[in-house]
C-alpha cells in the first residue's frame, strides 16, 4: 500500500509539472494553468488602429437593421496613435461621424449594444453624460488594448494630425513631450480635475513657440484653403516656410528645463496662452476683442455673433485662472478643468525643477 501511495504521489507530481502549452503561463499562487487572453506578439506585427477601424466598420454594418435610422458617414482614428505620442499599450481612439433622427442617447446605446454583442471586447460601457461622451471598450480580445469611441467631434481628428505634423518638425519634440507628460502624470497633474494629456502637450509646445523653436499655428494657415469645422478653420499646411531659431545647441533636457523655468514665473492672472498666435495674450483684451491681434479675426467675429451667449465666450469657459486657447477652436479653454489645487501644484513643481 505504501508503494501504491508513493506511486500515486509521483504520478501527481509529474502531472503538475507537465510542459506548458503555447499561450499558457503557470501561476504558482493558485497552482493552476492560466490561459493568456491575447498574443503579445500580435500588436507588434499589425497596425492595431487599422484592425479596430475595420472591426468597427464590420460590426456596425452588420447591425444596419437596428441602426436603420442612423447613417454612419465616417470612421476615423485620432488621439495619441495618430499624433505619434503613444506607447504599445496606449488606447486606440476612434471617431464616428453620423447623422440620425434618433436622440444622441439612443444612438450611443445602440452603438454600444452592437459592439458588446460582437464579443470583440471584454467590456463595453457608454459614458453619455461626460463633457465629451464616449463608448469605452475595455480589453480588445485579440490585442489586449482598450478603445474609446467618440462621436461628431471631428475637430479632435484634425488636432491629432496637427500634433503629428508639429512633432515631425524637430526630432527633439517627441521625446520632450513624452518626458513632460510622464513627469506630469507622476506629479499628479494629469487627472480628472487637472490637465488632460492633450492640454499638457500644448503647454509644452507653446513655450517652444515663444522661443521660436516652433511656428505659431496661424503661420501654418497662410495662403491655403480653409477647412471649416463649426466656426473654426482646422486647415494647416506642411509647406509653409518658417523663420525659426532652432536653438540646435539645446538638448532635450535643456528644453525641458526651459519649459519649467518659463511656467514657474508665467503671469497667469494677466495672460492667456495662445498656441495659435504663439505668444501670450492679455486676458483683458478678450473683454474688448478689438484689442486682440489681427490673426484672431475669427474669434473677434465669433465674439460679436455670440456676445449674448456668454457661456460660449473664451473668458467664460472657466471658473479658474488658467486660460489656454485650443489651437483651432479659439473660444475653447483646454485647461478649463484645472482646479486651483492642481494649478498650484504645477507652479510649485515647475519652480522646484527650475531651481535644480
Amino acid at each position: 500500500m505504501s508503494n501504491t501511495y508513493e506511486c500515486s504521489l509521483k504520478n501527481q507530481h509529474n502531472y503538475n509539472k507537465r510542459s506548458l502549452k503555447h499561450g499558457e503561463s503557470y501561476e504558482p499562487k493558485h497552482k493552476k494553468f492560466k490561459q493568456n487572453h491575447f498574443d503579445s506578439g500580435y500588436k507588434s506585427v499589425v497596425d492595431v488602429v487599422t484592425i479596430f477601424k475595420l472591426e468597427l466598420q464590420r460590426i456596425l454594418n452588420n447591425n444596419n437593421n437596428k441602426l436603420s435610422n442612423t447613417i454612419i458617414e465616417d470612421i476615423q482614428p485620432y488621439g495619441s496613435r495618430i499624433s505619434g505620442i503613444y506607447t504599445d499599450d496606449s488606447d486606440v481612439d476612434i471617431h464616428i461621424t453620423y447623422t440620425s433622427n434618433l436622440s444622441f442617447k439612443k444612438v450611443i446605446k445602440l452603438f454600444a449594444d452592437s459592439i458588446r454583442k460582437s464579443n470583440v471586447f471584454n467590456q463595453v460601457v457608454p459614458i453619455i453624460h461626460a463633457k465629451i461622451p464616449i463608448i469605452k471598450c475595455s480589453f480588445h480580445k485579440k490585442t489586449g488594448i482598450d478603445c474609446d469611441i467618440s462621436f461628431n467631434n471631428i475637430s479632435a481628428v484634425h488636432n491629432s494630425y496637427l500634433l503629428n505634423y508639429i512633432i515631425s518638425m524637430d526630432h527633439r519634440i517627441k521625446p520632450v513631450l513624452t518626458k513632460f507628460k510622464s513627469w506630469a502624470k507622476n506629479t499628479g497633474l494629469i487627472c480628472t480635475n487637472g490637465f488632460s494629456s492633450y492640454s499638457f502637450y500644448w503647454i509644452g509646445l507653446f513655450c517652444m513657440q515663444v522661443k521660436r523653436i516652433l511656428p505659431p499655428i496661424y503661420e501654418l494657415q497662410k495662403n491655403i484653403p480653409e477647412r471649416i469645422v463649426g466656426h473654426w478653420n482646422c486647415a494647416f499646411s506642411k509647406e509653409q516656410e518658417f523663420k525659426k531659431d532652432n536653438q540646435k545647441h539645446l538638448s532635450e533636457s535643456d528644453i525641458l528645463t526651459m519649459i519649467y523655468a518659463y511656467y514657474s514665473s508665467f503671469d497667469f492672472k494677466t495672460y492667456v496662452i495662445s498656441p495659435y498666435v504663439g505668444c501670450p495674450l492679455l486676458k483683458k483684451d478678450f473683454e474688448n476683442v478689438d484689442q486682440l491681434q489681427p490673426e484672431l479675426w475669427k474669434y473677434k467675429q465669433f465674439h460679436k455673433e455670440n456676445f449674448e451667449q456668454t457661456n460660449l465666450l473664451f473668458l467664460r469657459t472657466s471658473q479658474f485662472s488658467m486660460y489656454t486657447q485650443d489651437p483651432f477652436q479659439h473660444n475653447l479653454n483646454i485647461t478649463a478643468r484645472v482646479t486651483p489645487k492642481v494649478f498650484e501644484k504645477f507652479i510649485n513643481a515647475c519652480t522646484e525643477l527650475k531651481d535644480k
Side-chain angles (χ1 to χ4, degrees):
M1 185 171 294
S2 175
N3 288 340
T4 303
Y5 181 67
E6 287 175 4
C7 182
S8 175
L9 285 177
K10 185 176 181 181
N11 289 339
Q12 184 179 351
H13 181 70
N14 288 338
Y15 172 79
N16 287 339
K17 284 199 170 182
R18 70 171 174 82
S19 300
L20 298 181
K21 294 181 180 179
H22 177 70
E24 289 184 332
S25 59
Y26 186 61
E27 194 171 278
K29 183 178 179 181
H30 301 292
K31 301 293 182 184
K32 65 181 180 181
F33 294 93
K34 183 178 179 181
Q35 185 73 26
N36 283 344
H37 291 286
F38 64 95
D39 182 353
S40 60
Y42 194 91
K43 290 181 286 186
S44 61
V45 176
V46 295
D47 180 355
V48 294
V49 172
T50 301
I51 288 174
F52 278 46
K53 179 178 177 178
L54 292 176
E55 284 192 333
L56 283 172
Q57 286 175 335
R58 174 183 59 79
I59 292 165
L60 297 177
N61 285 338
N62 288 344
N63 285 272
N64 273 338
N65 291 336
K66 291 183 179 179
L67 299 170
S68 57
N69 294 311
T70 301
I71 299 173
I72 298 172
E73 298 175 355
D74 202 5
I75 299 177
Q76 293 189 56
Y78 72 103
S80 63
R81 288 182 178 271
I82 297 303
S83 69
I85 315 173
Y86 68 94
T87 58
D88 286 344
D89 60 352
S90 291
D91 294 355
V92 172
D93 297 300
I94 297 289
H95 172 266
I96 296 178
T97 304
Y98 76 90
T99 55
S100 180
N101 57 11
L102 301 175
S103 70
F104 176 77
K105 186 176 180 180
K106 179 71 172 175
V107 172
I108 302 309
K109 285 188 173 181
L110 286 173
F111 281 147
D113 287 344
S114 298
I115 297 167
R116 189 181 297 113
K117 288 175 182 176
S118 72
N119 206 30
V120 168
F121 294 92
N122 272 7
Q123 188 177 41
V124 178
V125 179
I127 304 174
I128 296 172
H129 300 294
K131 185 175 181 181
I132 300 177
I134 63 169
I135 297 175
K136 194 159 196 65
C137 306
S138 300
F139 204 92
H140 182 255
K141 292 181 179 179
K142 289 182 180 178
T143 64
I145 293 172
D146 296 343
C147 178
D148 290 342
I149 305 170
S150 66
F151 305 89
N152 292 347
N153 182 32
I154 194 66
S155 60
V157 177
H158 295 300
N159 285 334
S160 299
Y161 282 101
L162 174 62
L163 272 175
N164 178 272
Y165 174 57
I166 292 288
I167 288 166
S168 73
M169 298 181 78
D170 190 306
H171 70 276
R172 296 169 295 181
I173 297 173
K174 182 176 178 178
V176 165
L177 291 184
T178 301
K179 292 172 185 175
F180 193 45
K181 176 188 172 181
S182 178
W183 168 77
K185 291 190 79 171
N186 292 336
T187 310
L189 301 175
I190 295 178
C191 57
T192 305
N193 296 319
F195 297 88
S196 64
S197 296
Y198 173 74
S199 66
F200 214 74
Y201 290 147
W202 281 108
I203 291 292
L205 292 170
F206 176 74
C207 181
M208 289 183 257
Q209 290 175 318
V210 171
K211 303 300 181 181
R212 299 299 290 174
I213 296 172
L214 291 172
I217 304 307
Y218 81 85
E219 289 197 12
L220 303 180
Q221 293 189 332
K222 288 180 177 178
N223 305 317
I224 61 170
E226 291 186 329
R227 178 174 288 178
I228 300 299
V229 177
H231 181 86
W232 311 104
N233 180 17
C234 292
F236 65 92
S237 170
K238 298 182 179 181
E239 309 298 329
Q240 300 286 10
E241 292 186 5
F242 167 59
K243 293 180 181 179
K244 58 183 177 179
D245 177 6
N246 261 333
Q247 302 196 44
K248 293 181 179 179
H249 64 283
L250 294 177
S251 66
E252 295 164 15
S253 179
D254 292 333
I255 295 174
L256 278 168
T257 301
M258 178 184 73
I259 294 171
Y260 299 135
Y262 182 75
Y263 287 113
S264 68
S265 59
F266 189 87
D267 186 355
F268 286 96
K269 289 184 178 179
T270 305
Y271 292 102
V272 165
I273 294 168
S274 177
Y276 185 75
V277 179
C279 65
L281 303 177
L282 286 168
K283 194 179 291 185
K284 66 181 180 65
D285 287 348
F286 283 86
E287 298 286 3
N288 181 12
V289 294
D290 290 334
Q291 300 299 315
L292 288 170
Q293 279 85 336
E295 291 83 9
L296 285 170
W297 66 270
K298 271 196 171 294
Y299 181 75
K300 295 180 184 183
Q301 183 185 66
F302 179 86
H303 186 278
K304 289 172 182 176
E305 292 173 358
N306 297 276
F307 183 76
E308 294 182 356
Q309 300 183 61
T310 56
N311 61 310
L312 297 178
L313 304 180
F314 181 68
L315 289 188
R316 302 293 181 266
T317 57
S318 175
Q319 57 181 313
F320 306 124
S321 59
M322 190 169 190
Y323 285 85
T324 307
Q325 271 191 316
D326 184 84
F328 287 143
Q329 189 177 338
H330 302 155
N331 71 319
L332 178 63
N333 176 13
I334 59 176
T335 50
R337 74 184 196 188
V338 179
T339 61
K341 183 178 179 180
V342 176
F343 173 76
E344 185 177 354
K345 184 187 288 188
F346 170 60
I347 301 302
N348 291 340
C350 285
T351 302
E352 184 180 332
L353 285 172
K354 176 205 70 169
D355 294 337
K356 281 188 176 180

